[in-house]
């Protein structure tokens, strides 16, 4: 999709530190990591976000979970634990409108996600 930063990473127009890729998905390190491991897992296909997933996308979207686990294994954070997050819309802080799963780990995390409360 024109102007989409993650589509440009898919095509190679914008460089990224890739950690995994296959026919349907790509995983690369976040530019502004929030944890020792912070990898983004995306479908190659442009899907605007979680609320734009169509029935024909479900296999490719489900595959993102397998890729996230493969990344967690290669990052060595399966035993220590990790979080897979999809931010959807303004309250969640979605800033890039190409579906992506954050895979975060390597450090203990807090819960729930409202630091000010
Ligand atoms: P969101 O806030 O939409 O859930 O997450 C978008 C993520 O994309 C942010 O964590 C941000 O740091 C990351 N990001 C934005 N632009 C780029 C980029 O050009 N390259 C990489 N590797 N990450 C990016
Ligand atoms: Zn895109």
């Amino acid at each position: 999709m024109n102007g989409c930063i993650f589509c440009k990473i898919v095509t190679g127009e914008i460089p990224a530190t890739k950690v995994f890729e296959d026919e349907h998905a790509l995983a690369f390190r976040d530019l502004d990591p929030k944890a020792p491991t912070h990898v983004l897992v995306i479908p190659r296909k442009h899907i605007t976000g979680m609320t734009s997933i169509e029935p024909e996308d479900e296999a490719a979207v489900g595959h993102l979970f397998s890729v996230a686990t493969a990344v967690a294994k290669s990052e060595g954070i399966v035993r220590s634990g990790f979080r897979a997050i999809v931010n959807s819309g303004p309250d969640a802080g979605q800033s890039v409108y190409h579906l992506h799963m954050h895979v975060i780990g390597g450090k203990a995390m807090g819960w729930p996600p409202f630091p000010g409360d």
Side-chain angles (χ1 to χ4, degrees), residues 5-6 9 14-16 28-32 34 38 40 87 93-96 100 102:
I5 202 161
F6 286 178
I9 287 175
I14 289 180
F28 52 92
R29 298 200 186 280
D30 197 291
L31 203 57
D32 181 20
K34 300 292 189 281
H38 189 170
L40 301 173
N87 292 323
Q94 185 177 2
S95 61
V96 176
H100 53 281
H102 296 258

Side-chain angles (χ1 to χ4, degrees), residues 68-69 72-73 77-84 102-106 109:
T69 297
K73 283 180 182 161
I77 55 170
V78 168
R79 192 189 281 265
S80 53
F82 64 97
R83 203 169 275 168
H102 296 258
V103 177
I104 290 173
M109 287 165 258

